[in-house]
Amino acid sequence: MDIIPIGPGFAAELRGVTVADVAASDEAYGKVRAAFEEHSVLVFRDQDVTDEAQLAYSRRFGPLEVTKVGSEGFGTNLVILKTLDDNGNIVPEDHRLALRNKANQLWHTDSPFKRLPALASVLSSRIIPGRGGETEFVSTRLAFERLDPVLRKRLENMFAWHDYAYSRGKIAPDLASSAERAALPPQCWRLVWKNPVNGRGALYIASHTYAIEGMEDAAGKMLLAELMAAATAPGLSYVHTWHKGDMVMWDNRATMHRGRPWPANEPRYMVRTTISATAADGLESMRAPPRQAAE
Ligand code: OGA
Ligand code: MN
């Protein structure tokens, strides 16, 4: 297996190993897992990517998130990002599917608003627009390491609140349905996620992050905006331009990503699997201590 760095200090393309190898072999999984801990974004090219291959690869890394779809609410491990309706027509720009893509164009990490946040996401492209539609990544690990040590120490002991409805509200006031709001109450996590393998900390922030525990609202939002700006300043990103056969995996503990726009009259179809974080991924140290009961 060859590891070819492709981004500014993070992100690597893997050669000489396939998605199917990882699913089938402990040895291949071990090497790719180590590359994942180190490089935060992994790119596979020229793969035979089917839903089954992507699922089998993803299951190696931990338990998969279940997404409820359809009126019966049956569960699936796949998240489909598409702009086509059931008849294969491109949806209008104010359609929920289009607005959802717009929300994905805000810098974020996946699932900090869930009871179990995500270790990693795996994304493959099935229909690629002629131009645009790239996925862009920044390292919140490198962003954290660039901060001055006094601020780093302070941030390590802070906790922040994440809410799905908050980030959706930036796109359209009612984009998060009442059922989604009820299912996804805000979650509070430590502001710095320390990787248990290499001990390196990363800012754990996203478009979903709306408050810092114990801080006045405006001051918390200002600090969050400053950290966001520092992490996403020009020149710090890896932009993935999609080609048929690509599969990309990222570490939600140590990166943020966003989709890039594309011409609205062109279809785009992406398939994502999402791996929940476990204790082995450093989850327990992310939990806020229970609030003190009022006297
Ligand atoms: C995602 C996501 C961006 C894109 O799948 O989690 O944010 O480029 N995707 O589609
Ligand atoms: Mn995402």
Side-chain angles (χ1 to χ4, degrees), residues 81 104 108 110 123 134-135 250 257-259 268 270 272:
L81 299 170
N104 274 341
H108 68 283
D110 292 331
L123 190 64
E134 303 89 351
T135 307
W250 61 87
H257 61 280
R258 65 175 177 180
R268 184 175 186 262
M270 313 288 289
R272 195 182 92 198

Side-chain angles (χ1 to χ4, degrees), residues 55-183:
L55 285 164
Y57 172 91
S58 303
R59 282 198 188 101
R60 274 290 186 167
F61 290 80
L64 300 191
E65 279 188 9
V66 177
T67 309
K68 299 257 191 287
V69 291
S71 47
E72 296 84 35
F74 61 88
T76 167
N77 296 129
L78 300 174
V79 173
I80 311 289
L81 299 170
K82 62 175 183 178
T83 53
L84 298 171
D85 66 19
D86 292 342
N87 301 318
N89 298 317
I90 295 180
V91 299
E93 283 185 65
D94 60 350
H95 190 280
R96 290 185 71 80
L97 290 175
L99 293 174
R100 186 169 168 208
N101 275 302
K102 236 174 129 185
N104 274 341
Q105 292 171 15
L106 304 172
W107 283 114
H108 68 283
T109 190
D110 292 331
S111 305
F113 48 80
K114 294 194 173 173
R115 286 180 183 81
L116 273 184
L119 165 68
S121 300
V122 178
L123 190 64
S124 63
S125 52
R126 310 297 175 87
I127 301 175
I128 305 166
R131 64 191 162 85
E134 303 89 351
T135 307
E136 183 175 16
F137 298 90
V138 290
S139 169
T140 56
R141 176 188 288 169
L142 296 177
F144 179 65
E145 290 174 348
R146 281 191 301 268
L147 299 174
D148 88 63
V150 176
L151 177 58
R152 280 210 301 260
K153 200 82 226 148
R154 262 183 70 211
L155 297 176
E156 276 176 2
N157 294 310
M158 289 170 109
F159 294 83
W161 286 90
H162 308 262
D163 184 10
Y164 177 78
Y166 177 72
S167 59
R168 268 35 193 181
K170 294 176 183 178
I171 302 298
D174 297 320
L175 190 50
S177 67
S178 52
E180 284 172 332
R181 283 166 206 264

